[in-house]
Amino acid sequence: MSGAPDGTRGAEAPEVERRMLIGGRWVDARSGATWDLVDPGRGVAIDRVAFGDADDARAAVDAAATAFRGWSRLPPHRRGEVLEAAADWIRARADALARLSAEESGKPLGEAKAEWLSACNHLTWFAAEGARAYGRIVPARVPTRRIEVRPEPIGVVATITAWNFPVYNVVRSWAAALAAGCTVVGRPSELTPRSAFALAQALHESGAPAGVVNVVNGDPAGMAQAFLDDPRVRKIAFTGSPRVGKLLMDGASRTLTRLGLELGGNAPVIVFPDVDVPEVARQAATWKLRNAGQVCVSPQRFLVHADVAEAFTEAVAAEVAALHVGHAFETGTQVGPLVTDRHRERVRDLVARSVAAGAQVVEGGAALERDGFFYAPTVLRDVPEGAPVLTDEVFGPVLPVQPFRDLDQALRLANATEYGLAAFVMGHGLEAVHAAVAGLEFGMVAVNDWLPSTPEAPFGGVKGSGMGRESGAEGLAEYQELKTVYVGGLR
Ligand code: NAD
């Protein structure tokens, strides 16, 4: 953590590992390979972590398979105690953990801390939910028979996750899987592995027996293939791009490995004319720029009723211009960098092609001339249908505005995407809002609300945004198999 920007020197370094956790031991990669982590806010290497391959992934699966028998047979309350203790472990170190995650992901410190506290919420919620795996008695057709449906943990679960929420993407799968009685092997993004190491450390030091939680870092395709090839891995929970999701599905078609796919989004926001325009513009700027727009449920396309589109565009441009862009550790930072230079190039290209197609830049529209991978918060108007900032998942600080005249047009534009994760509706007319909710082809719809994510409700998408759900009672069920038991010969 040396060489951090002004205002950060002297901060207590988090006591976390840079190695992988396999079978209860912190280990280097078997090959000895390492990976240099980069601070996206400065564009310089900051740390070195273990970088393994398929051999390390197999060793972790061995450990998880060995630990499964003991962990799955514990009463769920005992498993819950470990999850609760891990939440306490995190709360006691939340500031240090936030620095660790903010530095490797680039997100502002406050957002990183909120993410760790949300991890605590997932751990405590699933600690209790694990004990509610009731099962069912099915009334039988014959009096001498009894039929039970028992939920059982599915077995070893491998997780492969994206960098944008280096803790949340991991914990929502791990908390549910562990509560259900599964053991886990996590393979976080190579861009942000320390956060996952720290989460594993929280569980390890809070009483998770050796092998119950394992975390490896390294070669993405090689490790994924090792998971697919191993029949003891009963599920791969993946959070990331549709591109990699399809690769996994292709691989799983040969091994029949169960997949959970939390993929990309391209969320429309329908803004009706009866809203408080300046207030919605203020909220829109804040939520659009969370994590510099690198959020799967980020409000992406703003479909604004023509009567207020001009007022909204001007108000939102002013709000966006006033946001403080800076390093994660700088006091007052509201918007951080993009995660890599490559990703920034991608965003720059999407904007350039949209402008070439006719979009007008109202605010921003360029990379920032400073260290790190910063792109200016950007507002675009007159964005033609089919422009790349509308059709592609931008995953950046770009806010295109499109006017609409009536609900049919708004819904046609909103649904004109391969994705179906989150959508937003801002308005107060009961009938119009209900009609919009009914017509949106998305897994989650937020009405006058900007955060469709919480441990107790199902999270996930339709269409190209994936399959399965994380969180909520449904999220627990994703890590259980049902065993139907027929008992005959009863009197
Ligand atoms: P990505 O698909 O490139 O990477 C995701 C993970 O897959 C990383 O750990 C990466 O190392 C790994 N990976 C890369 N190539 C692989 C391969 N050939 N085989 C197996 N694993 C491989 O995605 P990203 O750029 O890291 O993340 C951004 C994407 O994630 C966006 O599309 C975003 O919407 C999505 N996302 C979705 C959710 C959700 O809950 N739906 C949450 C967060 C992010």
Side-chain angles (χ1 to χ4, degrees):
M1 302 279 271
S2 59
D6 286 345
T8 69
R9 291 193 186 92
E12 192 189 331
E15 301 161 13
V16 298
E17 275 290 352
R18 273 89 182 160
R19 294 175 295 172
M20 304 184 282
L21 181 65
I22 299 180
R25 290 194 315 121
W26 292 100
V27 294
D28 290 317
R30 288 171 178 225
S31 66
T34 58
W35 172 273
D36 285 340
L37 286 186
V38 171
D39 171 355
R42 288 182 295 142
V44 296
I46 44 156
D47 208 343
R48 184 161 288 178
V49 296
F51 192 79
D53 56 27
D55 283 345
D56 301 284
R58 277 189 285 270
V61 174
D62 286 346
T66 305
F68 177 70
R69 188 179 162 88
W71 182 251
S72 61
R73 291 182 177 202
L74 280 182
H77 305 85
R78 291 279 304 286
R79 295 195 291 259
E81 283 166 17
V82 174
L83 302 189
E84 292 270 10
D88 289 343
W89 190 101
I90 290 167
R91 282 190 206 98
R93 296 162 181 78
D95 288 320
L97 292 167
R99 298 183 70 78
L100 188 86
S101 299
E103 194 186 34
E104 64 182 8
S105 68
K107 68 177 63 181
L109 210 44
E111 289 188 26
K113 184 166 178 183
E115 188 178 344
W116 276 104
L117 296 178
S118 150
C120 296
N121 291 341
H122 277 79
L123 289 164
T124 54
W125 193 81
F126 276 106
E129 187 67 7
R132 300 189 189 114
Y134 299 121
R136 213 150 51 97
I137 303 287
V138 179
R141 287 171 181 267
V142 279
T144 54
R145 186 186 231 190
R146 182 184 162 97
I147 307 171
E148 293 172 12
V149 183
R150 298 185 193 172
E152 296 186 346
I154 57 178
V156 175
V157 171
T159 63
I160 301 176
T161 44
W163 46 267
N164 66 327
F165 285 96
V167 189
Y168 165 85
N169 290 342
V170 182
V171 76
R172 63 183 183 175
S173 298
W174 285 10
L178 293 170
C182 302
T183 54
V184 299
V185 178
R187 192 250 164 231
S189 166
E190 62 278 19
L191 301 177
T192 55
R194 293 187 315 192
S195 302
F197 291 169
L199 181 64
Q201 189 178 9
L203 288 153
H204 175 59
E205 295 190 6
S206 302
V212 167
V213 176
N214 306 273
V215 61
V216 293
N217 179 51
D219 171 27
M223 287 187 160
Q225 196 58 52
F227 295 148
L228 285 168
D229 286 343
D230 197 320
R232 296 170 303 174
V233 175
R234 296 293 165 79
K235 171 169 178 169
I236 299 177
F238 174 73
T239 300
S241 63
R243 181 186 72 81
V244 176
K246 287 174 189 168
L247 285 176
L248 290 173
M249 205 160 179
D250 196 21
S253 73
R254 286 182 278 277
T255 60
L256 293 181
T257 310
R258 183 200 286 214
L259 295 178
L261 297 178
E262 292 287 352
L263 308 179
N266 179 352
V269 185
I270 297 178
V271 181
F272 286 113
D274 61 349
V275 299
D276 176 343
V277 172
E279 176 57 17
V280 170
R282 190 187 64 73
Q283 294 174 7
T286 304
W287 286 97
K288 169 70 226 180
L289 275 301
R290 185 167 74 112
N291 202 10
Q294 302 168 114
V295 179
C296 55
V297 294
S298 181
Q300 174 165 325
R301 299 167 288 139
F302 285 74
L303 303 167
V304 185
H305 192 275
D307 289 353
V308 293
E310 196 53 38
F312 176 84
T313 306
E314 279 174 18
V316 86
E319 294 288 347
V320 160
L323 292 172
H324 181 80
V325 181
H327 187 276
F329 292 170
E330 267 171 43
T331 309
T333 291
Q334 292 165 293
V335 185
L338 295 175
V339 72
T340 57
D341 201 23
R342 192 158 151 243
H343 182 43
R344 180 170 63 169
E345 278 308 311
R346 194 184 148 271
V347 171
R348 187 168 21 202
D349 177 61
L350 290 174
V351 173
R353 286 193 286 126
S354 299
V355 169
Q360 303 289 318
V361 176
V362 187
E363 181 58 43
L368 292 179
E369 295 299 325
R370 55 175 290 171
D371 289 343
F373 312 130
F374 289 90
Y375 191 87
T378 295
V379 175
L380 302 173
R381 67 147 64 97
D382 301 334
V383 188
E385 269 186 61
V389 293
L390 303 178
T391 56
D392 292 30
E393 181 184 32
V394 177
F395 229 54
V398 181
L399 194 158
V401 183
Q402 280 179 286
F404 74 86
R405 280 266 160 227
D406 58 42
L407 184 59
D408 284 349
Q409 185 193 11
L411 287 173
R412 182 181 62 76
L413 294 171
N415 291 331
T417 168
E418 69 194 275
Y419 295 102
L421 191 58
F424 300 84
V425 179
M426 302 293 141
H428 301 292
L430 204 57
E431 216 175 301
V433 167
H434 273 286
V437 170
L440 285 164
E441 297 166 358
F442 292 81
M444 297 171 288
V445 181
V447 178
N448 300 324
D449 189 293
W450 296 93
L451 185 62
S453 171
T454 182
E456 55 275 6
F459 181 106
V462 301
K463 295 164 66 179
S465 291
M467 54 190 69
R469 293 291 182 268
E470 296 284 2
S471 301
E474 295 81 358
L476 186 75
E478 296 272 343
Y479 296 95
Q480 295 168 326
E481 280 292 10
L482 297 180
K483 181 178 279 173
T484 310
V485 181
Y486 294 80
V487 181
L490 299 175
R491 287 168 187 270

